[in-house]
Amino acid sequence: MADAETWDLLDEQGSPTGEVHRRSDPGWPLGRFHLMVATCVVRSDGLVLLTRRAATKTFPFAWEIPGGSVLAGETGAQAAVREVREETGLVIDGEALTRVGRGPLPTAFLDVYVAAVPGRPRLVLDPAEVDGAAWVS
């Protein structure tokens, strides 16, 4: 399914160009970027959620915060909510998200969000995406 992803393209300043690119298509357009998100999920006791990438993903078994690519037509906040839900089963209210920064990557911009969640939520991991999770200080 990941190969069917279509991304809105951005220019060097991070502004939408009106163009799209399908992930599986060759020939990345020069001077174009797509948007990615990562979300730091923080429990009410201050612990932060880390997930470990599945064996079949690039960078297998690497620990990270939940995230991924923004699909065409989505906002960064919508993608952050979707990615957290897909990977961990957590349903985050988009209003609870705070974007804390944007960083450049070779062909993408990475928007980083923080989301507070109450209590000690139960995780339901998607084994195609992640093979482990931990709440860490």
Side-chain angles (χ1 to χ4, degrees), residues 14-80:
S15 298
T17 66
E19 303 163 288
V20 296
H21 184 83
R22 197 171 63 187
R23 180 180 183 160
S24 59
D25 286 353
W28 184 260
L30 232 62
R32 295 297 184 249
F33 301 83
H34 74 286
L35 185 59
M36 298 181 69
V37 294
T39 304
C40 181
V41 179
V42 183
R43 282 192 334 198
S44 53
D45 61 5
L47 296 183
V48 172
L49 178 62
L50 291 182
T51 57
R52 189 169 65 180
R53 294 175 68 84
T56 57
K57 305 281 285 181
T58 55
F59 307 108
F61 307 116
W63 288 93
E64 63 184 0
I65 60 176
S69 293
V70 177
L71 303 177
E74 279 185 318
T75 66
Q78 289 168 334

Side-chain angles (χ1 to χ4, degrees), residues 10-14 33-36 102-104 107-111:
L10 309 173
D11 65 19
E12 296 88 355
Q13 286 75 44
F33 301 83
H34 74 286
L35 185 59
M36 298 181 69
R102 173 174 278 186
T107 60
F109 289 103
L110 176 65
D111 282 356

Side-chain angles (χ1 to χ4, degrees), residues 48-57 59-67 83-84 86-90 123-136:
V48 172
L49 178 62
L50 291 182
T51 57
R52 189 169 65 180
R53 294 175 68 84
T56 57
K57 305 281 285 181
F59 307 108
F61 307 116
W63 288 93
E64 63 184 0
I65 60 176
E83 287 288 347
V84 169
E86 285 177 0
E87 294 178 12
T88 69
L90 290 178
L123 301 177
V124 179
L125 304 181
D126 177 354
E129 296 284 334
V130 298
D131 87 335
W135 293 98
V136 300

